[in-house]
Amino acid sequence: MTSVGSEPTPPPGGLMGRSGLVRDRSDRKIAGVCAALGRASATDPLLWRALLAVLVVFSGIGLLLYALAWLCFPQRGDEVSALESLLGRGRSSTSLAATLTLAGTVAFLGVVVCLDPSNYPMLVLGVATPAAAVAAGRRSAPDETDAPAAPEPVVAATEEGYRSPFAPGGPYARTREFPAVEPETPSVTAPVEPVPPAPPVRRRYSHRLTVIGGAVTALAMAVMSIVAMAGVPVPAGAFGGVALLLIGMVLIVATWWGRSRSLIVVGAALSAVLAVQYFDTNDRPAGPVNERMAPVSVEEIPPQWSVWFGESELDLRGIDFTESDEVRLQVMVRGAAAEIHVPPDVDVVLFVDMTGGNAEIHDPASDVTMETAGSGQLVSEGADGPGGGRVTIDVTIEFGTLEVTR
C-alpha cells in the first residue's frame, strides 16, 4: 500500500518498458541487462549471463548485443531509455557522456560484426532467443482476472424452529413500539484539494553553439581543401576525422553550455562513414580471407591471403620445394592472429609493414626466434643454409600478429 499523499512510481515508457525489460539498480552485475531479461521472461538471469559469455567468447557479438540492450532498456525510475532520452523523448538517469560512449561502441562493433558473414547466424541467435523468451514469458504470466474468487463466509445454521424467547416473534417479545430515531448526520468537511506544484521552468538554450561549431568545421574543411589543391598529400579520411574531432569538442562544450543535439546526428553519420572507410573491402587483398589453407603444390599457393578479426593459418609443409622454386606472398593481418607453416629447409624473407602488433619467424629445431615489433625485414635460411626454395612474404599488420613457423 502507498501512504496518503504519495504516488506510485510510474512504469518506464517506451517499447522496452511496456515489455517489462527494465533494468534495476538493486539487481545487477554490470548494468542489469541479464536480470531484466530474466524478469521479463520469467527465467533465471544466470542462463542469460551464460549465453552472453558464450557470445562474447566465441564471436564477440555478446559485447554488441549487451551495449545495445544497455542503450534500449530503461532503468527503473526513468521515464525512457538512454537512447530515447538522447532523442529528446524523456528523462533518463544515464549521463550524456555514457550514452554517447555506448552509441559509439554499438556503431563500431556493428560495423566489425557485419563485415564477417560468419557472424550472422550467431547474431540472429543472440537476437531471436531473448525475443522469443520474453514473448513466451508474457503469454505465460498469470492474469489478475483469472485469480480464484474468495470463498463466501459460512454462517452457522441454527436449529430449525427455535427462536430466542425475547427475540422478535418469540414468546416473550415486547410489543411496544418505540419511535424511530433518525441517526445524526455527521458534518462532512469538503476535502481541500492540494495545490499542484508549479511546472519547472525549462531553461532556454541558445543554438549559437551549433552555428559556431558548423562554421568552424566548414572553415577547417576549406583550409584542408586548399592545402590539398596546393599539392600537399592529404588522406581522404583526414577530412572526416577532423570534422568528427571538431564536432566532438562542440558536444563536450554543449554539456555545460548551450544545446547542440543536431550535431549528434552529424557526428554519428561521420563516425559510420569513417568506420566504413577504414574497413572498406577494397583494402582487402583479392585472395582468400580468413580461410585455413594447406596447398600441396607451388601452383596452389595463393598470391594474396588475409586474416581479419579472427585466427587462421596457411600450411605450406605439404609442398616439396626445389632449388628453383621462388614464391612471393602478400599477406594482410587486421586485428587478427595469422600463422604460416613452412618446410624446415626453405629460405624465408619477411618484409613487415606494421601499424601495431608483432611478427616473428620461429624455428623449433634450433629454438631460434626472430621477431620485430615494428616495420622491418626478417630473413631465415633454415637449418641447411641458403637453398631449398625461397618464400618471400610481404605482410601488412594492423593491430595483429603473424608467426612463421618451420
Side-chain angles (χ1 to χ4, degrees):
M1 295 179 60
T2 59
S3 60
V4 178
S6 65
E7 297 181 358
T9 303
L15 177 61
M16 298 302 176
R18 292 192 295 270
S19 301
L21 295 169
V22 180
R23 298 183 291 111
D24 197 337
R25 292 179 182 272
S26 61
D27 187 14
R28 65 179 183 180
K29 298 297 182 182
I30 301 177
V33 171
C34 295
L37 286 171
R39 288 191 298 272
S41 60
T43 55
D44 191 346
L46 184 61
L47 300 176
W48 300 109
R49 294 184 179 116
L51 178 61
L52 175 67
V54 171
L55 292 177
V56 170
V57 172
F58 289 97
S59 63
I61 297 176
L63 296 177
L64 170 63
L65 296 179
Y66 195 91
L68 184 60
W70 193 341
L71 270 177
C72 297
F73 291 5
Q75 188 163 261
R76 191 174 303 280
D78 293 352
E79 296 176 356
V80 293
S81 64
L83 182 60
E84 292 172 308
S85 175
L86 187 63
L87 301 177
R89 297 182 178 178
R91 182 189 60 82
S92 174
S93 59
T94 306
S95 65
L96 177 62
T99 303
L100 293 177
T101 302
L102 286 172
T105 302
V106 169
F108 176 78
L109 293 177
V111 173
V112 173
V113 168
C114 293
L115 283 175
D116 190 356
S118 63
N119 290 328
Y120 293 169
M122 296 296 290
L123 182 61
V124 173
L125 173 65
V127 174
T129 301
V134 171
R138 294 187 65 184
R139 287 197 300 268
S140 61
D143 191 356
E144 294 181 358
T145 58
D146 297 336
E152 297 182 357
V154 179
V155 180
T158 59
E159 185 179 353
E160 185 178 359
Y162 173 76
R163 294 183 179 180
S164 176
F166 297 97
Y172 301 101
R174 296 183 180 183
T175 59
R176 181 181 176 181
E177 296 182 358
F178 295 91
V181 179
E182 296 182 359
E184 297 182 359
T185 303
S187 60
V188 179
T189 304
V192 180
E193 297 182 359
V195 179
V201 180
R202 299 191 64 178
R203 178 181 174 185
R204 296 180 62 86
Y205 292 96
S206 173
H207 294 277
R208 293 180 180 177
L209 190 60
T210 303
V211 177
I212 294 173
V216 172
T217 303
L219 288 175
M221 297 299 100
V223 171
M224 293 179 65
S225 299
I226 294 173
V227 171
M229 288 187 292
V232 179
V234 178
F239 289 88
V242 171
L244 185 60
L245 175 63
L246 293 175
I247 290 175
M249 294 175 63
V250 172
L251 290 175
I252 292 175
V253 175
T255 305
W256 292 275
W257 178 77
R259 169 176 285 184
S260 301
R261 286 185 175 178
S262 58
L263 292 181
I264 295 176
V265 179
V266 179
L270 281 175
S271 300
V273 170
L274 288 176
V276 172
Q277 184 179 12
Y278 179 76
F279 298 109
D280 189 1
T281 54
N282 293 330
D283 293 340
R284 299 188 185 187
V289 179
N290 292 350
E291 290 189 18
R292 297 180 181 269
M293 305 186 67
V296 295
S297 65
V298 174
E299 291 76 15
E300 294 181 3
I301 300 177
Q304 296 173 323
W305 180 67
S306 62
V307 185
W308 279 43
F309 304 103
E311 297 181 358
S312 191
E313 64 179 3
L314 177 62
D315 193 350
L316 306 180
R317 292 173 294 186
I319 302 175
D320 185 13
F321 285 88
T322 63
E323 292 286 340
S324 60
D325 287 334
E326 292 189 4
V327 177
R328 196 171 192 95
L329 175 63
Q330 182 182 354
V331 179
M332 174 174 283
V333 179
R334 177 170 288 175
E339 189 172 355
I340 300 178
H341 303 280
V342 298
D345 299 332
V346 173
D347 300 339
V348 178
V349 180
L350 186 62
F351 294 98
V352 182
D353 181 12
M354 184 180 302
T355 302
N358 182 65
E360 66 178 38
I361 301 177
H362 179 60
D363 188 356
S366 58
D367 196 20
V368 174
T369 300
M370 295 180 292
E371 61 179 332
T372 177
S375 299
Q377 177 180 348
L378 297 177
V379 179
S380 174
E381 296 178 344
D384 62 344
R390 183 186 181 94
V391 176
T392 303
I393 303 173
D394 298 308
V395 57
T396 301
I397 301 178
E398 298 179 359
F399 304 102
T401 60
L402 173 65
E403 180 180 357
V404 180
T405 307
R406 294 188 179 277

